[in-house]
Amino acid sequence: LYRAPKQKELLLYLFDCQSSVPMEELRKYFKTASTLVKSLVKKGFVEIVPTEYPLDVSKDLSQIKLTLEQETALKEIKNALLSGHYKSLLLYGVTGSGKTELYLRALELNKANGRQGIVLLPEIALTEHMIDLYTSRLGNEVVIWHSNLTIKEKRLAWENMTTGKASVIVGARSAVFAPFSKLGLIIIDEEHENSYRQDQNPKYHARDV
């Protein structure tokens, strides 16, 4: 890390904390926290883990009682899904506020209406961690998609999407191009993250797409 002083600085900060640190906190002290963390993940120094729920898929997370704020947000989401018209909604909440639970319930309703859904996550590492949570609630119709998949894994995922075996895709920015014919919902988690922008050809921003 002697050639990457900012990465070293962030890593030392994490060592001093001696526990998991929310990305929101890192952004207070490091302007390019997301990029720095991504680099450290590739080097094997740190790991990104979801904090919405522990990955204990043996628990019935569908019985989680929603807060008043969550109930209000879910009502807006339901109305949008049932309207049959395009609508963009911003779900705001700090880490641990239960946004993922609302994502899951929206996907369940979308699936019940015969529609398919896309869940975009800002980091590949986070995608791999979250897939167990989504499959525990939505079953085997969930497929994962990101650039680290093998050609065989990508082909199988693509076939499941085009044949209708998959109703939900969870992945990094390129998952926005999923070949769904009955798309009803797109969720962009942490939509402000720069990782949704691809600067190499073909250049695009997943949020705009």
Side-chain angles (χ1 to χ4, degrees), residues 7-32:
Q7 293 179 30
K8 181 180 179 180
E9 183 181 347
L10 188 147
L11 191 59
L12 290 174
Y13 177 82
L14 293 174
F15 281 146
D16 289 339
C17 293
Q18 296 184 354
S19 63
S20 298
V21 180
M23 283 297 299
E24 285 80 0
E25 180 177 335
L26 293 179
R27 292 190 186 99
K28 294 178 182 178
Y29 304 102
F30 301 92
K31 292 182 178 180
T32 58

Short mmCIF file of all heavy atoms in Angstrom, two decimals, residues 7-32:
data_model
loop_
_atom_site.label_atom_id
_atom_site.label_comp_id
_atom_site.label_asym_id
_atom_site.label_seq_id
_atom_site.Cartn_x
_atom_site.Cartn_y
_atom_site.Cartn_z
N GLN A 7 -5.55 4.67 0.48
CA GLN A 7 -6.01 3.34 0.87
C GLN A 7 -5.42 2.94 2.21
O GLN A 7 -6.10 2.38 3.07
CB GLN A 7 -5.64 2.32 -0.20
CG GLN A 7 -6.36 2.49 -1.53
CD GLN A 7 -5.93 1.46 -2.55
OE1 GLN A 7 -5.55 0.35 -2.19
NE2 GLN A 7 -5.99 1.82 -3.82
N LYS A 8 -4.15 3.24 2.39
CA LYS A 8 -3.47 2.93 3.65
C LYS A 8 -4.11 3.69 4.80
O LYS A 8 -4.33 3.13 5.89
CB LYS A 8 -1.99 3.27 3.55
CG LYS A 8 -1.20 2.96 4.81
CD LYS A 8 0.27 3.32 4.63
CE LYS A 8 1.06 3.02 5.90
NZ LYS A 8 2.51 3.37 5.75
N GLU A 9 -4.43 4.94 4.55
CA GLU A 9 -5.04 5.78 5.59
C GLU A 9 -6.40 5.22 6.00
O GLU A 9 -6.73 5.14 7.19
CB GLU A 9 -5.20 7.21 5.06
CG GLU A 9 -5.76 8.18 6.09
CD GLU A 9 -5.92 9.59 5.51
OE1 GLU A 9 -5.38 9.84 4.42
OE2 GLU A 9 -6.59 10.41 6.17
N LEU A 10 -7.20 4.81 5.01
CA LEU A 10 -8.51 4.24 5.33
C LEU A 10 -8.38 2.91 6.06
O LEU A 10 -9.12 2.64 7.01
CB LEU A 10 -9.32 4.07 4.04
CG LEU A 10 -10.79 3.66 4.23
CD1 LEU A 10 -11.65 4.27 3.13
CD2 LEU A 10 -10.96 2.15 4.21
N LEU A 11 -7.42 2.10 5.64
CA LEU A 11 -7.22 0.81 6.28
C LEU A 11 -6.80 0.97 7.74
O LEU A 11 -7.28 0.25 8.63
CB LEU A 11 -6.17 0.00 5.51
CG LEU A 11 -6.02 -1.49 5.89
CD1 LEU A 11 -7.33 -2.22 5.69
CD2 LEU A 11 -4.92 -2.13 5.07
N LEU A 12 -5.93 1.93 8.01
CA LEU A 12 -5.51 2.20 9.38
C LEU A 12 -6.69 2.70 10.22
O LEU A 12 -6.80 2.37 11.41
CB LEU A 12 -4.38 3.23 9.39
CG LEU A 12 -3.03 2.74 8.84
CD1 LEU A 12 -2.04 3.90 8.77
CD2 LEU A 12 -2.47 1.62 9.71
N TYR A 13 -7.56 3.47 9.59
CA TYR A 13 -8.75 3.95 10.29
C TYR A 13 -9.64 2.77 10.70
O TYR A 13 -10.15 2.72 11.82
CB TYR A 13 -9.53 4.90 9.38
CG TYR A 13 -10.83 5.40 9.97
CD1 TYR A 13 -10.85 6.47 10.86
CD2 TYR A 13 -12.05 4.79 9.65
CE1 TYR A 13 -12.04 6.92 11.40
CE2 TYR A 13 -13.23 5.23 10.19
CZ TYR A 13 -13.24 6.30 11.06
OH TYR A 13 -14.42 6.74 11.61
N LEU A 14 -9.81 1.79 9.79
CA LEU A 14 -10.61 0.61 10.10
C LEU A 14 -9.97 -0.21 11.22
O LEU A 14 -10.67 -0.74 12.09
CB LEU A 14 -10.79 -0.24 8.84
CG LEU A 14 -11.63 0.37 7.72
CD1 LEU A 14 -11.59 -0.53 6.48
CD2 LEU A 14 -13.06 0.57 8.17
N PHE A 15 -8.65 -0.32 11.18
CA PHE A 15 -7.94 -1.06 12.23
C PHE A 15 -8.16 -0.41 13.59
O PHE A 15 -8.35 -1.08 14.61
CB PHE A 15 -6.45 -1.13 11.93
CG PHE A 15 -6.07 -2.17 10.91
CD1 PHE A 15 -5.03 -1.94 10.03
CD2 PHE A 15 -6.77 -3.36 10.82
CE1 PHE A 15 -4.67 -2.90 9.08
CE2 PHE A 15 -6.43 -4.31 9.87
CZ PHE A 15 -5.39 -4.08 9.00
N ASP A 16 -8.15 0.91 13.63
CA ASP A 16 -8.36 1.63 14.88
C ASP A 16 -9.77 1.41 15.42
O ASP A 16 -9.97 1.35 16.64
CB ASP A 16 -8.11 3.13 14.68
CG ASP A 16 -6.64 3.46 14.48
OD1 ASP A 16 -5.80 2.63 14.87
OD2 ASP A 16 -6.35 4.53 13.91
N CYS A 17 -10.74 1.27 14.51
CA CYS A 17 -12.13 1.06 14.93
C CYS A 17 -12.33 -0.33 15.52
O CYS A 17 -13.16 -0.53 16.41
CB CYS A 17 -13.08 1.26 13.76
SG CYS A 17 -13.14 2.96 13.15
N GLN A 18 -11.59 -1.32 15.01
CA GLN A 18 -11.64 -2.71 15.50
C GLN A 18 -13.05 -3.30 15.41
O GLN A 18 -13.42 -4.15 16.21
CB GLN A 18 -11.12 -2.78 16.93
CG GLN A 18 -9.65 -2.41 17.06
CD GLN A 18 -9.13 -2.60 18.47
OE1 GLN A 18 -9.89 -2.89 19.39
NE2 GLN A 18 -7.84 -2.44 18.64
N SER A 19 -13.84 -2.82 14.47
CA SER A 19 -15.19 -3.37 14.26
C SER A 19 -15.67 -2.92 12.90
O SER A 19 -15.03 -2.11 12.23
CB SER A 19 -16.15 -2.90 15.35
OG SER A 19 -16.30 -1.49 15.31
N SER A 20 -16.81 -3.44 12.48
CA SER A 20 -17.38 -3.03 11.20
C SER A 20 -17.76 -1.55 11.23
O SER A 20 -18.21 -1.04 12.26
CB SER A 20 -18.63 -3.87 10.89
OG SER A 20 -18.29 -5.23 10.79
N VAL A 21 -17.57 -0.89 10.11
CA VAL A 21 -17.85 0.54 10.02
C VAL A 21 -18.81 0.79 8.85
O VAL A 21 -18.53 0.35 7.73
CB VAL A 21 -16.56 1.36 9.80
CG1 VAL A 21 -16.89 2.85 9.72
CG2 VAL A 21 -15.57 1.09 10.92
N PRO A 22 -19.94 1.47 9.07
CA PRO A 22 -20.87 1.76 7.98
C PRO A 22 -20.22 2.66 6.93
O PRO A 22 -19.40 3.52 7.25
CB PRO A 22 -22.03 2.50 8.68
CG PRO A 22 -21.91 2.12 10.13
CD PRO A 22 -20.44 1.95 10.37
N MET A 23 -20.62 2.46 5.67
CA MET A 23 -20.08 3.29 4.59
C MET A 23 -20.41 4.76 4.81
O MET A 23 -19.62 5.63 4.46
CB MET A 23 -20.66 2.83 3.25
CG MET A 23 -20.04 1.57 2.69
SD MET A 23 -18.27 1.76 2.31
CE MET A 23 -18.33 3.07 1.08
N GLU A 24 -21.57 5.04 5.41
CA GLU A 24 -21.94 6.43 5.67
C GLU A 24 -20.90 7.12 6.54
O GLU A 24 -20.59 8.30 6.35
CB GLU A 24 -23.32 6.51 6.35
CG GLU A 24 -24.49 6.25 5.42
CD GLU A 24 -24.71 4.76 5.18
OE1 GLU A 24 -23.94 3.96 5.73
OE2 GLU A 24 -25.65 4.42 4.44
N GLU A 25 -20.36 6.39 7.51
CA GLU A 25 -19.34 6.97 8.40
C GLU A 25 -18.03 7.21 7.65
O GLU A 25 -17.39 8.24 7.82
CB GLU A 25 -19.10 6.05 9.60
CG GLU A 25 -18.06 6.60 10.57
CD GLU A 25 -17.89 5.73 11.78
OE1 GLU A 25 -18.83 4.99 12.13
OE2 GLU A 25 -16.80 5.77 12.39
N LEU A 26 -17.66 6.25 6.80
CA LEU A 26 -16.41 6.40 6.05
C LEU A 26 -16.46 7.61 5.13
O LEU A 26 -15.47 8.30 4.93
CB LEU A 26 -16.13 5.13 5.24
CG LEU A 26 -15.80 3.87 6.03
CD1 LEU A 26 -15.57 2.70 5.09
CD2 LEU A 26 -14.59 4.09 6.93
N ARG A 27 -17.65 7.86 4.56
CA ARG A 27 -17.78 8.99 3.63
C ARG A 27 -17.60 10.34 4.34
O ARG A 27 -17.32 11.35 3.70
CB ARG A 27 -19.14 8.94 2.93
CG ARG A 27 -19.30 7.77 1.98
CD ARG A 27 -20.55 7.91 1.14
NE ARG A 27 -20.78 6.74 0.32
CZ ARG A 27 -21.62 5.75 0.63
NH1 ARG A 27 -22.33 5.83 1.75
NH2 ARG A 27 -21.77 4.71 -0.15
N LYS A 28 -17.79 10.36 5.65
CA LYS A 28 -17.60 11.61 6.40
C LYS A 28 -16.13 12.01 6.44
O LYS A 28 -15.80 13.19 6.54
CB LYS A 28 -18.13 11.45 7.82
CG LYS A 28 -19.64 11.25 7.92
CD LYS A 28 -20.05 11.05 9.37
CE LYS A 28 -21.54 10.80 9.49
NZ LYS A 28 -21.95 10.55 10.90
N TYR A 29 -15.25 11.01 6.38
CA TYR A 29 -13.82 11.26 6.54
C TYR A 29 -13.02 11.07 5.24
O TYR A 29 -11.90 11.56 5.12
CB TYR A 29 -13.25 10.35 7.63
CG TYR A 29 -13.96 10.48 8.95
CD1 TYR A 29 -14.88 9.54 9.37
CD2 TYR A 29 -13.72 11.58 9.78
CE1 TYR A 29 -15.55 9.66 10.59
CE2 TYR A 29 -14.37 11.71 11.00
CZ TYR A 29 -15.29 10.75 11.40
OH TYR A 29 -15.95 10.87 12.60
N PHE A 30 -13.61 10.34 4.28
CA PHE A 30 -12.91 10.05 3.03
C PHE A 30 -13.84 10.38 1.85
O PHE A 30 -14.89 9.75 1.71
CB PHE A 30 -12.48 8.59 2.97
CG PHE A 30 -11.57 8.17 4.09
CD1 PHE A 30 -12.10 7.64 5.25
CD2 PHE A 30 -10.20 8.32 3.99
CE1 PHE A 30 -11.28 7.25 6.30
CE2 PHE A 30 -9.37 7.94 5.03
CZ PHE A 30 -9.91 7.40 6.20
N LYS A 31 -13.45 11.35 1.03
CA LYS A 31 -14.31 11.79 -0.07
C LYS A 31 -14.57 10.67 -1.08
O LYS A 31 -15.64 10.59 -1.67
CB LYS A 31 -13.68 12.98 -0.77
CG LYS A 31 -13.64 14.24 0.08
CD LYS A 31 -13.06 15.41 -0.70
CE LYS A 31 -13.05 16.68 0.14
NZ LYS A 31 -12.48 17.83 -0.60
N THR A 32 -13.57 9.82 -1.29
CA THR A 32 -13.71 8.74 -2.28
C THR A 32 -13.78 7.39 -1.57
O THR A 32 -13.15 6.42 -2.01
CB THR A 32 -12.53 8.76 -3.27
OG1 THR A 32 -11.29 8.63 -2.52
CG2 THR A 32 -12.52 10.04 -4.06
#
